[in-house]
Amino acid sequence: IGVLVRRVRQVPVEGGLTLPERGALAQLDRTGPTTSSALARDAQITAQSMGATLGALQARGLVERRRDPDDGRRVVLSVTDAGRQALRDKRNARAELIAGALTGGAFTPAELERLAATAPLLQRLAQNI
């Protein structure tokens, strides 16, 4: 499973995101607007590294910075529509890669049935970890 996950994550997407960019953007998308320092803490990286990653995302229009309405000294970041589209593009590329591998003749119909039967078990395993 680990090899599969690593391979799928490495799928290049035109204009794609680096692994740190994808991680920061996905975290920001999941958690909603937050600060750079909170993202760095969650990702367990330095504030400087997160700042560089967020700067690159902002330059591409994938995140935006705004003053916190409750505390004008703080800056909060949020994902833009273009950022959400970049995440969807990456997810779609992953799904297409997997679909192509499954339908490309590398598996027999019986093997495809076994994979389909295994999917719910893997889902349940993930939920119980």
Side-chain angles (χ1 to χ4, degrees), residues 70-125:
D70 298 325
D71 182 351
R73 299 169 295 173
R74 289 182 1 143
V75 174
V76 293
L77 299 121
S78 58
V79 179
T80 64
D81 289 340
R84 284 187 190 84
Q85 185 61 49
L87 288 171
R88 277 192 298 274
D89 290 347
K90 181 63 178 178
R91 290 176 187 132
N92 289 341
R94 289 177 185 166
E96 289 174 16
L97 177 73
I98 292 169
L102 291 172
T103 60
F107 297 94
T108 67
E111 289 172 326
L112 290 173
E113 285 181 29
R114 287 196 340 231
L115 281 170
T118 304
L121 297 174
L122 291 173
Q123 179 72 27
R124 198 167 73 213
L125 173 63

Side-chain angles (χ1 to χ4, degrees), residues 20 24 35-56 65 77:
T35 63
S36 177
S37 60
L39 283 172
R41 189 174 43 254
D42 290 345
Q44 298 180 352
I45 62 172
T46 66
Q48 293 81 5
S49 293
M50 183 57 74
T53 298
L54 292 170
R65 297 173 190 262
L77 299 121

